[in-house]
Structures are given as C-alpha cells and as structure tokens.
C-alpha cells in the first residue's frame, strides 16, 4: 500500500515540480482573474479573499475566457492571439501552451471533460483538442464567405458552448448559421448545419439544463432559438419586436450572452442597442417586460439562488452596477465601483460577488445580501473572473 500511495502523488505532479511547489488542498473555493494588459492570471482563494499564485506568459488576454477540467485542477484559457493555455492552479504553473489560430474568441469543454473546443475569427472554424495534452483531434473549417473586398475567407465562429451528449454548438457570424458538432466519436465529428438563422449572430448561450441554444443577432432585432432536444425542428426567431419603433443607440461593446440570467422560469437578457434588460418567459420565449437601466447592458447575471440580477454596462456608463429584484422586477440598488467595471463572478453559493474594476487596478468583493463592499484585491487591469464552480455547469 505504501508504494501505491507514493505512485499516486507522483503522477499528480508535473515534470520538474516538487510536491513542496504545489498546494495540497481542495479547489472548490479557488478561481482565476485575468490580468488583460500583462497577459497573466491571478489564482485566488474565494474564502480568504487572497491571491495564491500569479501565472505569467499567457499572451494576448484582451478578450480572454476560460473553462475548467471536471476535477477543477486545470483551467484552459483562450486568448485573443489564438493561444490555448492549460494552467495547473494547484501549482501555479503553465502545463502547456499552443497557438492554435490567428484570432480566437472563446471555447468550451466537452460534457465528459476530455475535449477542448476553440472558436476562431481567423481563419474561422472550430478546432478541437485533447484536454490531456492539447493535441489536435479535429479541425472543422467554417463556411467560406466573400468579404467587402471580394476576398474569400472563413466565417468568424462565435458563441461556442458545450451541450449534453458530447456535443458543441456554435454560430457563424458572417454566414448566419448555427452548427451542432457531435463529438461522440472523436474520429468522426458529425455536423448538423442550420442556415439562415438571422443576420450577424454575434454570441450564443445554452440554457442551464442544456436544452435550448440561443444566438444573439447584431444585424436585426431578435434572437435565434434552437431546441437541442428536437433539432429536427430547426431554428426560430424569438423577441423579434423588442426594439421595434425605438431608436438604435451606438453599440460600444457587444453584450455577452453567456452572462445572461435564469430565475423563476424567466430569462433576463441584455438588449442590443437599448438601455434595457429584457425579461422573457422561458416557457414560450415571449417578452414579459423591459426594465430600463443605466446604460447598455454587457453582463446580466443572476445570483446562484436567482433572487437578484446584477448588471454592468458598456462605455460610457461602465462605472456602474445595478441590482434588480427578480420578484418585483425593480432596480433595488445602484453601485459605483469605478471606471472600467468589466466583469462579475458570484461565489459558488452566492454570498458574494467579485467585480473587476480595470481603471482602479483592483477587484472589489460585495456581500450580495447587503450590496456592501467587503474586500479589495490589487489586480493589474483585471477583466474576466472565473471560479472553479464553472466546472460543473453546462455552457460555462
């Protein structure tokens, strides 16, 4: 038994890293914060509100996102420069880093945790890698389109999410499509294409139960809905009249649909080009109400129990957070964390929310019950915050 114990600890460690270099602890209250300008991560402890490691050398993190391995030990970071980096958060080290494309916009991890998918602006398409060693499993090119100069190129891929049954779903910005990519047989990816879903899909999300995939449309009002239980029914347009008769405002930053909210059978979505949060009945996908807010919403996020919605905003209103009560659908508080309030992340059970404030070089932590500031952490130009609880949530 003694020899087996020694073997167990040996295989957990990376080459060249001793046991004393790594933490021996659970990862359930850990996470990472992206330092976008420095190209680095801070590994943090959400219980004690402190930094455990700083990991450098991750490239261009100007639009970075991340997913976790199912054991919550490894975080996979998708950089804007096409970089895909696997980081061990218990050792604070990069395990492997590759440049898989020219310009990538995000990614997802498969239901069983074995595959990492990356969506690319350039050259377009989706690449799928082994979560173990980042070796290439599949290279799926996007539909070819003609740009304004008459040149042929692959469509940008956006809104890539994981879905049940070892599938990924993605939308194609230039060609107006959504695809289901079935990776149940990694050697033979099966692609189901849905064309003419709407003009310029810019992002996508999957509902927490994994049933519905929704693509936001930049080129027209409305969203595209795909029922993943019944893909044979194709896509349909929902909320196609929410902006009708209203003047479109300049869009300084696209809303992030992965930061949407579900609470009490209602969906809360950011309206494109409007100072409003849309409240939608998730049973029939019809609008219930528009909640006027401080600016153009970027993230509209629910506290884990669904009792509150926290909203941040695009420039020039990006110094503000508003809190919405999901029972009354009224704004109950307006906070002013500071300029460059970019991202939010709730602790796993929702007693606190961490907010990146870029222009103050800090992350602020608020108690959600009182909406009072409780902690500040120095972070160099923080943006995305990703906690390990995401490892067990579909679409995150």
């Amino acid at each position: 038994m003694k020899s087996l114990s020694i073997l167990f600890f040996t295989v957990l460690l990376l080459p060249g890293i001793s046991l004393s270099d790594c933490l021996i602890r659970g990862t359930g209250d850990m996470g990472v914060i992206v330092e976008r300008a420095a190209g680095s991560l801070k590994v943090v402890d959400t219980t004690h509100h402190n930094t455990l490691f700083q990991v450098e050398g991750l490239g261009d993190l100007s639009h970075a996102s991340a997913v976790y391995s199912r054991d919550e030990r490894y975080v996979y970071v998708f950089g804007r420069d096409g970089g895909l980096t696997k980081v061990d958060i218990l050792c604070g080290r990069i395990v492997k880093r590759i440049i898989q494309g020219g310009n990538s916009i995000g990614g997802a991890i498969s239901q069983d945790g074995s595959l990492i998918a990356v969506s690319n602006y350039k050259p377009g398409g989706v690449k799928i890698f082994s979560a173990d060693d980042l070796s290439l499993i599949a290279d799926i090119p996007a539909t070819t389109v003609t740009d304004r100069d008459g040149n042929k190129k692959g469509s940008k891929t956006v809104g890539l999410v994981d879905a049940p049954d070892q599938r990924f779903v993605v939308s194609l910005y230039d060609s107006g499509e959504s695809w289901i990519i079935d990776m149940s047989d990694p050697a033979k990816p099966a692609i189901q294409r849905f064309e003419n879903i709407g003009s310029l899909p810019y992002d996508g999300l999957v509902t927490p139960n994994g049933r519905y995939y929704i693509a936001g449309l930049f080129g027209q009002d409305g969203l595209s809905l795909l029922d993943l239980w019944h893909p044979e029914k194709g896509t349909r347009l929902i909320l196609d009249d929410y902006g009708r008769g209203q003047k479109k405002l300049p869009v300084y930053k696209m809303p992030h649909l992965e930061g949407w909210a579900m609470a009490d059978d209602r969906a809360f979505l950011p309206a494109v080009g409007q100072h409003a949060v849309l409240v939608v009945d998730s049973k029939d996908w019809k609008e219930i109400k528009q909640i006027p807010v401080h600016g153009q919403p970027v993230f509209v996020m629910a506290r884990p129990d669904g009792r509150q919605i926290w909203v941040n905003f695009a420039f020039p209103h990006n110094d503000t957070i508003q809190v919405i009560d999901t029972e009354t659908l009224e704004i109950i508080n307006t906070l002013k964390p500071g300029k460059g309030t970019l991202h939010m992340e709730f602790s796993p059970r929702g007693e606190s929310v961490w907010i990146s404030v870029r222009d103050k070089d800090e992350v602020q932590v608020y108690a959600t019950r009182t909406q009072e500031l409780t902690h500040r952490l120095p972070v160099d130009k923080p943006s995305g915050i990703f906690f390990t609880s995401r490892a067990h949530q579909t679409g995150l």
Side-chain angles (χ1 to χ4, degrees):
M1 292 298 295
K2 183 177 180 181
S3 61
L4 288 176
S5 299
I6 293 172
L7 175 62
F8 175 75
F9 282 108
T10 300
V11 297
L12 281 178
L13 298 178
L14 300 173
I17 298 178
S18 69
L19 187 61
S20 61
D21 292 323
C22 302
L23 301 175
I24 303 176
R25 53 162 291 170
T27 56
D29 63 347
M30 292 175 66
V32 298
I33 302 171
V34 172
E35 296 182 307
R36 65 183 284 163
S40 56
L41 298 180
K42 272 191 164 48
V43 180
V44 297
D45 178 326
T46 64
T47 299
H48 300 98
H49 307 96
N50 60 2
T51 297
L52 303 173
F53 296 109
Q54 181 164 347
V55 184
E56 300 178 339
L58 281 85
D60 183 354
L61 299 184
S62 58
H63 195 286
S65 61
V67 297
Y68 283 94
S69 59
R70 62 191 302 164
D71 64 1
E72 302 180 352
R73 178 168 184 170
Y74 301 103
V75 62
Y76 300 85
V77 182
F78 309 98
R80 196 58 184 264
D81 56 0
L84 170 59
T85 310
K86 181 178 181 178
V87 176
D88 184 334
I89 64 171
L90 284 179
C91 299
R93 304 283 183 95
I94 291 175
V95 178
K96 188 167 185 179
R97 172 172 165 77
I98 62 172
I99 301 296
Q100 58 78 42
N103 187 336
S104 67
I105 198 65
I109 187 167
S110 63
Q111 184 180 39
D112 70 355
S114 67
L115 302 171
I116 304 293
V118 188
S119 62
N120 287 297
Y121 271 11
K122 185 179 180 180
V126 174
K127 290 185 179 179
I128 300 175
F129 300 88
S130 163
D132 181 35
D133 60 5
L134 303 189
S135 58
L136 183 65
I137 302 295
D139 186 351
I140 302 170
T143 300
T144 300
V145 295
T146 303
D147 64 20
R148 294 177 181 177
D149 299 321
N151 301 314
K152 299 289 186 181
K153 65 173 188 176
S155 176
K156 300 181 181 72
T157 52
V158 298
L160 176 64
V161 299
D162 63 284
D165 299 324
Q166 204 68 352
R167 294 177 295 174
F168 297 105
V169 191
V170 69
S171 291
L172 283 71
Y173 177 83
D174 302 286
S175 57
E177 301 173 68
S178 288
W179 291 0
I180 298 174
I181 303 172
D182 186 337
M183 292 298 296
S184 52
D185 181 354
K188 296 179 180 179
I191 303 172
Q192 194 170 1
R193 295 172 169 85
F194 303 87
E195 300 178 347
N196 303 313
I197 68 165
S199 178
L200 303 180
Y202 69 88
D203 198 6
L205 61 90
V206 65
T207 52
N209 64 0
R211 177 166 183 176
Y212 295 103
Y213 177 78
I214 299 173
L217 303 174
F218 186 60
Q220 65 184 83
D221 292 333
L223 303 98
S224 170
L225 178 74
L226 175 61
D227 185 344
L228 299 178
W229 288 9
H230 298 286
E232 71 279 1
K233 295 181 179 180
T235 63
R236 64 185 177 97
L237 200 62
I238 60 172
L239 303 179
D240 58 335
D241 58 355
Y242 76 79
R244 191 166 296 166
Q246 302 178 46
K247 182 181 178 181
K248 281 272 190 182
L249 300 171
V251 177
Y252 295 105
K253 182 174 177 60
M254 295 301 295
H256 281 257
L257 290 188
E258 282 193 18
W260 78 317
M262 279 287 291
D264 195 24
D265 292 327
R266 292 181 288 194
F268 295 77
L269 298 166
V272 180
Q274 303 293 337
H275 291 185
V277 170
L278 306 178
V279 186
V280 181
D281 187 328
S282 63
K283 295 187 291 295
D284 58 14
W285 299 102
K286 293 183 178 179
E287 182 182 307
I288 297 171
K289 182 179 180 178
Q290 291 188 29
I291 303 174
V293 290
H294 176 71
Q296 291 181 36
V298 177
F299 287 98
V300 177
M301 300 183 69
R303 198 171 74 177
D305 66 351
R307 190 67 179 85
Q308 298 170 350
I309 304 296
W310 289 57
V311 186
N312 74 337
F313 304 97
F315 177 86
H317 303 104
N318 63 355
D319 62 345
T320 300
I321 295 285
Q322 288 190 308
V323 185
I324 297 171
D325 182 292
T326 58
E327 188 173 42
T328 65
L329 303 182
E330 300 293 335
I331 295 170
I332 58 174
N333 206 348
T334 297
L335 309 173
K336 295 287 185 179
K339 285 287 186 183
T341 297
L342 299 179
H343 292 261
M344 300 174 285
E345 183 84 336
F346 288 95
S347 56
R349 294 200 177 193
E351 78 285 349
S352 65
V353 60
W354 292 45
I355 300 174
S356 62
V357 188
R358 181 195 59 205
D359 292 12
K360 288 187 175 180
D361 289 313
E362 67 181 19
V363 167
Q364 299 178 7
V365 183
Y366 289 79
T368 56
R369 182 178 180 181
T370 63
Q371 293 104 60
E372 293 178 348
L373 177 63
T374 61
H375 299 83
R376 298 176 188 266
L377 284 78
V379 183
D380 182 11
K381 297 295 180 290
S383 57
I385 305 172
F386 305 93
F387 292 159
T388 55
S389 53
R390 288 171 170 255
H392 312 296
Q393 297 176 266
T394 298
L396 297 178

